[in-house]
């Protein structure tokens, strides 16, 4: 069964305290890994797509990396406005077959000033 | 600006009532999706549509129905057969279903039982 596990479930940081969020997965036929940010009462906002092991993407204070079994979302010198729930999702399946997006449960980040 | 519009933002359902959630996109995307989000759980797929006049069941389709008569629109009906409808419903779209195209989301509809 395809599974995506995010850890920790919640994380509190002080402003400027860098950390990493983990997304581990066991899926058949990885076709892409996605990171989203979700604010309370809003829909997920797309951040990154990673396609293959070794790939990295950056956006402001966020950097996403991918290995064969997991992805990390590194947050450097976070600010209070980075507080949100971060979702990881993995695209599985074979082209023309039953492709689907499997989501983790999310990780709630709180950055205190 | 291009995007996905969901309405209403809040919806209340009486017992035995069917309710319809609206989803409209102006991104010219072929594929559209409906997810359900419950506290402490990952998003779960209800239905998806790869193209107009076509749709497939997701993991939790029981008690729901959809239609795709126009490329821009993918309404979701929560029927009285859905016994636990209270949740946050999210609509998404992507350029196409196959391949690693990111899905883009609307801002959701929160459905509650009266």
């Amino acid at each position: 069964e395809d599974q995506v596990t995010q850890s920790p479930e919640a994380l509190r940081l002080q402003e400027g305290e860098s950390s990493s969020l983990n997304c581990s997965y066991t899926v058949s036929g990885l076709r892409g890994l996605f990171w989203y940010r979700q604010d309370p009462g809003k829909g997920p906002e797309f951040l990154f797509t990673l396609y293959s092991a070794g790939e990295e993407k950056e956006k402001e204070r966020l950097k996403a990396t991918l290995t064969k079994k997991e992805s990390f979302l590194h947050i450097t010198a976070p600010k209070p406005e980075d507080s949100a729930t971060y979702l990881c999702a993995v695209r599985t399946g074979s082209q023309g077959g039953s492709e689907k997006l499997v989501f983790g449960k999310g990780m709630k980040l709180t950055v205190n000033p | 600006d291009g995007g996905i519009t969901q309405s209403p933002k809040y919806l209340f359902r009486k017992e035995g009532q069917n309710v319809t959630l609206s989803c409209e996109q102006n991104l010219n995307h072929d594929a559209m999706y409906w997810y359900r989000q419950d506290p402490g759980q990952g998003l779960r797929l209800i239905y998806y549509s790869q193209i107009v006049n076509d749709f497939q069941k997701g993991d939790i389709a029981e008690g729901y129905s959809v239609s795709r008569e126009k490329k821009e629109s993918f309404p979701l009906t929560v029927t009285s057969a859905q016994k636990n409808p209270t949740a946050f419903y999210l609509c998404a779209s992507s350029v196409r279903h196959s391949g690693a195209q990111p899905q883009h989301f609307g801002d959701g509809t929160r459905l509650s039982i009266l």
Side-chain angles (χ1 to χ4, degrees):
Chain A
E1 181 184 349
D2 297 330
Q3 272 195 321
V4 177
T5 303
Q6 292 188 246
S7 62
E9 292 183 3
L11 182 63
R12 282 186 177 274
L13 300 173
Q14 288 299 122
E15 185 172 1
E17 180 186 1
S18 301
S19 188
S20 297
L21 318 179
N22 177 261
C23 172
S24 62
Y25 58 90
T26 53
V27 298
S28 57
L30 175 71
R31 295 180 59 74
L33 185 142
F34 304 87
W35 281 99
Y36 290 86
R37 169 194 170 123
Q38 186 175 23
D39 293 303
K42 300 286 189 180
E45 174 190 348
F46 170 69
L47 293 174
F48 304 110
T49 305
L50 301 167
Y51 295 100
S52 57
E55 189 174 1
E56 299 182 353
K57 294 274 181 72
E58 283 190 69
K59 180 180 180 180
E60 296 181 355
R61 295 176 292 282
L62 300 176
K63 184 169 85 171
T65 62
L66 181 64
T67 72
K68 289 186 177 180
K69 293 293 185 184
E70 59 191 349
S71 176
F72 291 93
L73 185 65
H74 307 277
I75 303 177
T76 302
K79 298 182 178 182
E81 53 262 42
D82 294 321
S83 298
T85 295
Y86 290 86
L87 307 179
C88 172
V90 174
R91 184 79 171 185
T92 73
S94 55
Q95 191 167 8
S98 56
E99 293 186 40
K100 61 187 293 186
L101 201 58
V102 180
F103 282 85
K105 294 181 180 180
M107 197 289 305
K108 184 176 181 180
L109 173 66
T110 303
V111 182
N112 296 315
Chain B
D1 287 339
I4 300 171
T5 301
Q6 291 188 241
S7 62
K9 189 171 179 65
Y10 300 96
L11 188 59
F12 298 90
R13 194 191 88 170
K14 295 180 181 179
E15 192 170 340
Q17 185 182 44
N18 294 351
V19 292
T20 297
L21 285 61
S22 171
C23 177
E24 303 279 332
Q25 55 101 355
N26 60 4
L27 300 168
N28 200 34
H29 286 174
D30 283 333
M32 296 187 74
Y33 307 83
W34 275 104
Y35 290 91
R36 171 179 171 140
Q37 187 173 38
D38 295 281
Q41 295 195 41
L43 273 67
R44 292 182 291 168
L45 181 65
I46 303 172
Y47 268 98
Y48 69 99
S49 168
Q50 298 188 54
I51 200 168
V52 175
N53 293 323
D54 177 74
F55 49 83
Q56 285 82 39
K57 292 181 180 180
D59 297 322
I60 55 166
E62 186 175 350
Y64 301 97
S65 65
V66 294
S67 63
R68 186 89 186 275
E69 297 176 359
K70 298 188 299 181
K71 187 174 185 177
E72 302 80 18
S73 179
F74 191 40
L76 173 74
T77 296
V78 184
T79 75
S80 57
Q82 173 49 247
K83 297 306 179 187
N84 184 24
T86 297
F88 191 48
Y89 290 87
L90 289 161
C91 178
S93 70
S94 64
V95 172
R96 56 183 178 274
H97 177 64
S98 62
Q101 302 295 325
Q103 294 180 14
H104 299 273
F105 288 82
D107 275 341
T109 292
R110 187 166 298 280
L111 176 62
S112 303
I113 298 178
L114 278 178

